Amino acid sequence: MQHVSAGADSQRARKGALARDFAPQRAAGAAIGRPGLRDAAAVASYLVVTAVMALPLLRDASGLLPGDRADPVLNAWLLWWNTQAAPLSGSWWNAPAFHPYPGVLAYSEHLLGLLPLSGPLQWLTGSPVVTYNLVFLLTFPLCGAAGYVLGREITGRRDAAWIAGLAFAFAPYRMSQLSHLQVLASFWMPLALAALHRYLRDSRPRWLAAFAGATTLQGLTNGYYLAYFPVLVGLWAVWFSRGSGGWPQIVRIGGAGAAAMLPLVPLLATYRLLHAEQGLGRAASEIAAYSADLTSLAGIAPHLAFWGPLEWSPGPEQELFPGAAIVLLIGTALWRARGWRPDAPEPRYLRAARVAATALACLGGALLAMRLAAGPWAVDVAGFRVSVTSIDKIGAHFALAAAAGLLLGRTCTAAWRRRSPFAFYLLAAAALGLCAMGPRPEVAGTPVMAYSPYLGLLQIPGFEALRAPARFWMLVLVCLSALAALACARLAPSGGRRRLVFFAAISAGILLDGWGRLPVVPSPSPSPLLQARAAGPVADLPLGWRDDDAAAMLRGAAHGQPVVNGYSGHAAPYYGALAEGLRSGRGEVLAWLAEVGVRHVRLDRTRPGSRQLEAAAAAAPGLRLDAHTASEALYTFVRPPAAPPPPVLGEGLSVVRASASENEDLVDYAIDGVHGPRWTTGPQAPGQWLRLELDAARPVGGVILWGSLGMEFPRRLLVETSRDARAWETVWEGRTELPVLRGALRDARTPLTVTFTAAPARYVRLRQTGRDPSFAWSVTEVDVHAPPPSPGR
C-alpha cells in the first residue's frame, strides 16, 4: 500500500506540476537580472522578421501604403496633423478637414500616443507617407519586444519569452487589422502587465509608476484599449491580490490606474462635449454588427500566406482565428495537467455552492438541448406554467451557472489560492473573449445569450461610443502570448538539442500561422496645381467616397489648405447631403461651397463621374477655370455669392397627432418634443408620407424636420396642406440637399427648413418623392410654424 500510494503521489505530482509550477514566479523572476545582449538580440529578431515580411512595402516606402486606400491614408494624415498643431489646443481640434465644420478631430482616434515615434520621423523625412509606413512597421517589433518582456517576467526564461513576443507580434489577427494602425499599436499593454507582475514581486512604487505610464500611453494611442484594458487590469488585481494585503494592494493598483487616466481627462471631456453637441454616437445595431460571433474563431484573414486560401469571415472585425500552433501548445500544457486534484480539503460551503451551480448548469443544458431538439414548448405543473421559448435566455442562465461551477471547482480555487499565472491568463482569455462577443453573444448569427459582461460595460460612460467589441480580441492575444510563454517553460525538454528542436518547431508553427502577404496600394498622388496655386479652402472632387476623401485630406498636407472633404469614424452632419448634391451635379450645391468660404474646386478627371461634375463647375456662376492638365482641373471662385439670410418663421403651432405611411408605432417620436428616438422609413421610395394634425385650422408658413443625419434625409420632398384631410394643396416641392446643408451649419441636429405661404390649414402632409435603395428617411422631430409676423407688427 505504501508503494501504491507513492506511485499515485508521483503521478499526481507529475500531472499537477503545471498548476504548481505556474504559481507566482518569485524565484524565476528574481533571477531575471538586467537586460543584456541576448535580450537585445531577441528583440532585433522581431525586427528582422518584420523586414522580411514587409519587403513589398520597403521597396517603395514613399509611394506605397499597406492595407487599403482609406484608413491608412487617414492615419497618415492624423500622424502628420499631430506635428502641425499643439495637442489639445483649439486649432488642433479644428483640424483642416470637413471645412468649415469645427471640432472634427473628435470624429476619430487622435493617435497622440504615437507622437514620440511619428514626430521625429516626420521631421526627418518630411513625408507623411514614409512616416506612416515606418510607424506601421515598428508596431510589429515593438509588440514583439513587449510580449517578450511580459513572458520573461512571468517565466524568468528568455527562450519562453521569445515565443511570447513572437506569438503577440505575428498573431493571425494582426493580418486582419493591417489598415488600423491604432489597433496594431498595442505594445503598451504587455509592458503594463509586466510592471504589475514586477510590483507583485518587490512592491516598489516605481513599478506602479511604470504601469501607470504604460497605461497612459496606451490610452493615448487607442481609445478602445483605454476602455477595454482596465477590464483586464481589474481581473489581474482581483486574482493576484489576496490575503491580508489584498485590498490595500488592489487600492494601490486602482490608484495608479486612476493616476494614469488623469492626463487623459481633458481629452476625454472634449470628446464627450463635441460628440454631445453634434449628436454623435453608435446605434445598438452598429455595436451588434461589430461584435464577434463564436464562429469568428474560425474567421481567417485573406492576407495570411498559409491559411489565406481558406479565407472566411462571419462579419466585419470577425477574423479572430488564433492560430493552430498556439492552440496546440496551450492545449498540450493543459493535457499534461489532466487528472490533477489539489491536496487541500474543499470547504463545505464551497462544495455546496459548486454542487448547486453544477446542478443548475446541468438543468440549463438539458433545457437548452430540449429547446433545440423540440422547439418552443410549455407545460403546466401544479398550477404553474413552465415554458421554454428563448434560446438566448436559457443560454445566458446556462453559461452563468456553468461559469460559477467551474470557478468554484477545486482546481480553480486551488489555482486562485496559488495565484497561478497560467490559470489566470487562461480564464482571462475566456472572459475577454466573451466580452468580444458584445452585448448579446451569437453563434452563426443566432443569439445564444440574452445578456453578457459587455452589456454591463455599456452602462459605463464612454462605452456606448465604441462600436467594435470584437477588438477585445487584442487583449485576448496578450493573454495567449503569456500562456504560450508559460506553456513553453513547462513543456520544453531539458536536453540542449531536443530543446532547440522544440523551440524551432513552436516558432515555425507560430510564424506559419501568422505570416502574411502584405497588401500594398499606391499612396494618393499629389496635385501640382493645388501645390502651386491653392490660396484658400479647397473642395477636392469627386467627394463622398472614402478613398477619394482620405486622399484629399492627405493632399491637404502637401498644399497646406483646409479641405471640404473628410473621412473618419464619424462625419460632419451635412456631409451626406453635400455628397448627394455634388453626385447629382447640382450647380446650387457648388455655389454653396463658395458661401462657406471655399476658394478652389479641384476636379480629378480620371475618376468616374468627373465629366458631369466638370460640366456643373463650368456652368456655375462665379467659378472660373484657373488651370488644368490631362488628369485634373482647378477652378477658382472669383465672385463668391453672399450666403442668404436664415429662413424666418413665425410661432410654433401645436401638433396634436401624427400618422405615417409606415412604422406607425414610431410616428409619435416625431412629435414628442425629444430629439432622440426617431420615426424612420425603409429605403426611400415615392409614396412615403408623414401627416401632422394641428389643434385647429391655422395659417402655416413652414416646417422644420430635425434629425436628417448622414444620408437619412428625404431626397425630394413635397409639402401639402389641407383643411379636412381630403383636398390637398401643394405648397412646396423640391430637392432638399441645399436646405440640409444650410441648416446643418446653424445647428448640428441638422434642421431641414422649408418656408412657404399657405392658407389656414389643419393638416400638413410631408411626402417623400425621391428614391434611394440604401438609405431610409428619418425624423427625430418635426415642427410646424406660422408665417412670420408682418413688418411693423
Side-chain angles (χ1 to χ4, degrees):
M1 282 298 292
Q2 196 171 13
H3 175 73
V4 173
S5 176
D9 288 345
S10 175
Q11 184 181 18
R12 180 184 299 175
R14 187 173 62 254
K15 293 181 176 180
L18 181 69
R20 290 196 295 275
D21 287 355
F22 295 155
Q25 303 295 319
R26 292 181 181 273
I32 288 176
R34 295 180 179 275
L37 287 177
R38 284 186 291 175
D39 300 298
V43 172
S45 68
Y46 304 132
L47 188 61
V48 172
V49 174
T50 301
V52 174
M53 188 172 63
L55 280 177
L57 181 63
L58 291 174
R59 290 191 181 104
D60 187 5
S62 62
L64 298 173
L65 283 167
D68 58 45
R69 299 172 184 267
D71 286 272
V73 179
L74 166 64
N75 286 328
W77 179 83
L78 287 167
L79 294 178
W80 164 80
W81 180 242
N82 284 335
T83 65
Q84 305 300 303
L88 305 186
S89 64
S91 58
W92 181 74
W93 285 106
N94 297 327
F98 291 110
H99 174 83
Y101 221 70
V104 299
L105 201 68
Y107 294 168
S108 181
E109 298 273 10
H110 48 76
L111 303 183
L112 273 180
L114 294 174
L115 186 57
L117 289 176
S118 63
L121 291 173
Q122 177 66 39
W123 179 74
L124 287 170
T125 67
S127 168
V129 172
V130 173
T131 297
Y132 174 85
N133 285 333
L134 293 177
V135 173
F136 165 81
L137 293 176
L138 284 172
T139 63
F140 289 87
L142 287 173
C143 283
Y148 177 88
V149 170
L150 177 59
R152 192 168 177 222
E153 180 62 37
I154 60 179
T155 66
R157 297 175 52 155
R158 291 186 174 90
D159 49 9
W162 191 77
I163 293 296
L166 202 67
F168 189 54
F170 302 101
Y173 176 66
R174 293 176 68 86
M175 288 299 110
S176 70
Q177 296 288 340
L178 288 176
S179 295
H180 301 137
L181 179 66
Q182 69 276 23
V183 176
L184 298 176
S186 51
F187 39 83
W188 293 111
M189 290 189 289
L191 293 176
L193 290 174
L196 286 179
H197 279 285
R198 182 63 67 94
Y199 173 71
L200 188 68
R201 245 185 336 105
D202 63 20
S203 301
R204 282 186 282 184
R206 68 178 182 179
W207 298 116
L208 280 183
F211 156 72
T215 301
T216 299
L217 288 168
Q218 189 65 79
L220 285 170
T221 304
N222 189 316
Y224 280 92
Y225 301 155
L226 173 64
Y228 293 171
F229 186 51
V231 177
L232 176 54
V233 171
L235 295 174
W236 191 100
V238 170
W239 184 270
F240 288 105
S241 300
R242 55 175 291 272
S244 59
W247 281 111
Q249 188 164 272
I250 290 175
V251 170
R252 287 192 291 271
I253 293 171
M261 297 298 172
L262 283 178
L264 307 178
V265 169
L267 195 66
L268 297 175
T270 305
Y271 264 101
R272 192 164 185 82
L273 175 65
L274 292 173
H275 281 207
E277 286 180 350
Q278 300 188 28
L280 303 178
R282 299 298 185 187
S285 58
E286 275 188 282
I287 296 174
Y290 287 89
S291 296
D293 188 291
L294 187 61
T295 58
S296 301
L297 292 173
I300 295 174
H303 314 309
L304 292 173
F306 180 74
W307 296 102
L310 302 178
E311 171 193 353
W312 179 77
S313 176
E317 298 273 349
Q318 296 191 27
E319 296 158 344
L320 308 186
F321 175 58
I326 199 166
V327 170
L328 180 62
L329 176 63
I330 297 169
T332 302
L334 285 172
W335 177 257
R336 288 283 297 273
R338 71 191 186 284
W340 174 78
R341 294 292 183 272
D343 297 328
E346 183 180 23
R348 289 183 178 180
Y349 70 92
L350 277 181
R351 185 175 187 278
R354 174 175 57 82
V355 170
T358 304
L360 288 174
C362 292
L363 176 61
L367 292 175
L368 189 60
M370 294 172 62
R371 168 63 179 82
L372 292 172
W377 55 271
V379 295
D380 294 317
V381 178
F384 295 95
R385 189 168 184 82
V386 179
S387 62
V388 176
T389 55
S390 302
I391 293 176
D392 57 346
K393 290 183 180 179
I394 305 171
H397 297 155
F398 165 71
L400 182 61
L406 173 67
L407 294 174
L408 293 171
R410 297 183 68 190
T411 302
C412 277
T413 55
W416 180 76
R417 284 194 298 269
R418 297 174 184 273
R419 296 188 293 180
S420 163
F422 188 90
F424 168 73
Y425 283 110
L426 186 65
L427 293 172
L432 297 170
L434 184 58
C435 288
M437 296 180 70
R440 288 181 173 82
E442 298 181 350
V443 176
T446 300
V448 293
M449 291 176 63
Y451 51 83
S452 77
Y454 199 88
L455 200 59
L457 294 175
L458 280 174
Q459 311 312 309
I460 301 174
F463 267 84
E464 77 286 350
L466 305 174
R467 71 171 178 174
R471 291 186 181 176
F472 254 111
W473 195 252
M474 187 60 80
L475 281 77
V476 175
L477 293 185
V478 175
C479 297
L480 292 180
S481 64
L483 287 168
L486 291 164
C488 283
R490 174 57 189 158
L491 299 175
S494 56
R497 180 173 296 180
R498 292 173 59 203
R499 181 188 298 269
L500 182 62
V501 171
F502 172 82
F503 280 102
I506 296 298
S507 304
I510 289 174
L511 285 175
L512 190 66
D513 284 334
W515 193 265
R517 294 184 296 264
L518 193 67
V520 293
V521 296
S523 61
S525 56
S527 169
L529 296 183
L530 285 175
Q531 288 178 235
R533 297 171 177 268
V538 174
D540 202 332
L541 307 184
L543 175 149
W545 170 239
R546 62 175 200 168
D547 293 8
D548 295 328
D549 290 335
M553 294 167 68
L554 195 57
R555 273 192 287 270
H559 61 68
Q561 304 300 322
V563 295
V564 172
N565 307 69
Y567 167 69
S568 197
H570 294 282
Y574 62 82
Y575 203 65
L578 177 61
E580 181 70 16
L582 291 173
R583 199 159 31 238
S584 303
R586 299 189 60 207
E588 58 267 37
V589 174
L590 273 170
W592 175 84
L593 294 173
E595 292 178 16
V596 297
V598 172
R599 175 68 172 161
H600 305 284
V601 174
R602 174 189 178 266
L603 283 153
D604 186 341
R605 289 174 164 173
T606 66
R607 301 290 293 148
S610 60
R611 288 189 177 183
Q612 183 182 12
L613 279 171
E614 188 155 8
L623 193 58
R624 181 191 66 195
L625 180 63
D626 208 5
H628 68 97
T629 66
S631 60
E632 62 176 341
L634 183 65
Y635 286 79
T636 302
F637 283 104
V638 292
R639 296 189 304 277
V648 179
L649 292 169
E651 64 176 349
L653 302 179
S654 176
V655 178
V656 297
R657 193 173 292 107
S659 57
S661 57
E662 53 192 277
N663 292 331
E664 281 271 0
D665 57 321
L666 303 177
V667 74
D668 285 343
Y669 288 140
I671 59 171
D672 63 359
V674 178
H675 292 271
R678 59 184 58 199
W679 169 78
T680 187
T681 67
Q684 295 186 31
Q688 297 162 337
W689 52 265
L690 176 64
R691 190 175 71 184
L692 311 168
E693 181 181 351
L694 306 179
D695 58 353
R698 302 179 185 277
V700 180
V703 294
I704 304 176
L705 278 71
W706 298 87
S708 303
L709 288 170
M711 297 293 290
E712 295 188 354
F713 60 93
R715 298 299 180 262
R716 289 188 63 87
L717 188 65
L718 177 74
V719 183
E720 302 168 299
T721 60
S722 174
R723 283 180 173 271
D724 55 10
R726 291 189 294 272
W728 294 91
E729 176 188 2
T730 299
V731 293
W732 192 92
E733 181 177 13
R735 294 187 66 93
T736 59
E737 293 94 346
L738 205 55
V740 169
L741 290 170
R742 287 173 173 156
L745 291 181
R746 295 192 302 271
D747 193 308
R749 294 173 296 177
T750 326
L752 192 171
T753 304
V754 296
T755 59
F756 46 81
T757 301
R762 184 163 186 173
Y763 298 91
V764 177
R765 185 167 65 186
L766 311 172
R767 294 175 58 196
Q768 204 289 121
T769 59
R771 290 187 181 276
D772 194 310
S774 302
F775 294 97
W777 168 29
S778 296
V779 178
T780 60
E781 201 66 23
V782 60
D783 299 333
V784 181
H785 287 262
S790 302
R793 291 187 61 185

